[in-house]
Amino acid sequence: MNDIKPILQYILLTFLIAWCAEAILILGERIGILTDASGPIIATAIIGIGAGMAPTYAVAILLKKHGQIRGFKDFCGRIFKTGNVKKTIIITAVFYLIWVIKDIMLESYLGEPWYLFILLIPIMIIGGGLEEIGWRGFLQPALEEKLPFAVAALIVGVIWAVWHFPLWLVQNASQSSFDILSFTAYCITGS
């Protein structure tokens, strides 16, 4: 997949899947079917399984369509491939440690005690971390084949931020506590 077409297909498919899931959620909230006691559970499932997994679904669909993978094992091998496993683990651990230390020093994580961050890691990986399979596992490397790293990271950051925008219309979404410009800056620097 050396041309730009798969990149555009990936972006369009990711937005289509996520924004359709979020539209269902927003509509459900507006007409009142997600306002009872089970509403937040259903909303979390729609965001996590529908919208949050959209980048992963999109890259799996495209890799399969273009004959790049045959099944789940091929998919995992392609996405998690790294030239230096030890270096990847060390860099990831260092960034995680910096994040935890920052939360300990600030004594909070999104207004909660810092240790909740550690307890929420499995939820964050499933709810938000798996989207990175598409953003960092596919889109970033695909753009880096055509553009310098910084430009590719900037583009991914802007796309990633725009992809989140419908969440400002979802009741109780964590993004609604952020200013859109601040969140966009966070996405760009996170990329």
Side-chain angles (χ1 to χ4, degrees):
M1 293 196 297
N2 292 327
D3 62 353
I4 195 77
K5 188 175 178 184
I7 293 171
L8 295 175
Q9 289 174 339
Y10 167 78
I11 293 167
L12 292 173
L13 190 55
T14 299
F15 274 73
L16 178 68
I17 295 167
W19 285 12
C20 284
E22 290 160 345
I24 292 167
L25 176 58
I26 293 164
L27 181 62
E29 289 177 345
R30 298 302 184 269
I31 62 174
I33 61 173
L34 294 176
T35 56
D36 63 357
S38 64
I41 295 167
I42 295 168
T44 300
I46 291 171
I47 289 175
I49 296 170
M53 292 288 294
T56 304
Y57 299 146
V59 74
I61 290 166
L62 290 174
L63 290 174
K64 181 77 172 166
K65 176 184 172 189
H66 291 279
Q68 301 276 325
I69 60 170
R70 289 186 306 270
F72 184 73
K73 186 176 178 181
D74 286 345
F75 178 71
C76 289
R78 163 125 182 186
I79 295 301
F80 296 110
K81 184 178 98 181
T82 180
N84 189 332
V85 174
K86 184 177 178 180
K87 181 180 174 182
T88 301
I89 291 170
I90 290 170
I91 289 171
T92 303
V94 167
F95 276 99
Y96 173 75
L97 186 60
I98 290 168
W99 194 340
V100 170
I101 290 170
K102 175 209 47 107
D103 287 339
I104 291 170
M105 292 174 62
L106 296 176
E107 297 180 6
S108 68
Y109 175 72
L110 296 177
E112 303 295 336
W114 70 268
Y115 52 83
L116 285 183
F117 173 76
I118 294 169
L119 299 174
L120 292 173
I121 289 172
I123 294 168
M124 291 170 60
I125 289 171
I126 294 168
L130 292 179
E131 73 186 54
E132 298 307 324
I133 290 171
W135 301 127
R136 311 300 167 239
F138 176 78
L139 184 59
Q140 181 82 27
L143 287 173
E144 285 179 24
E145 289 178 7
K146 297 162 185 1
L147 303 165
F149 170 79
V151 175
L154 175 67
I155 291 169
V156 172
V158 170
I159 292 169
W160 188 35
V162 171
W163 178 77
H164 282 91
F165 284 0
L167 292 175
W168 270 267
L169 302 173
V170 174
Q171 298 171 9
N172 302 317
S174 62
Q175 284 76 11
S176 63
S177 65
F178 290 97
D179 169 275
I180 288 180
L181 290 176
S182 298
F183 186 81
T184 300
Y186 163 78
C187 288
I188 291 169
T189 56
S191 287

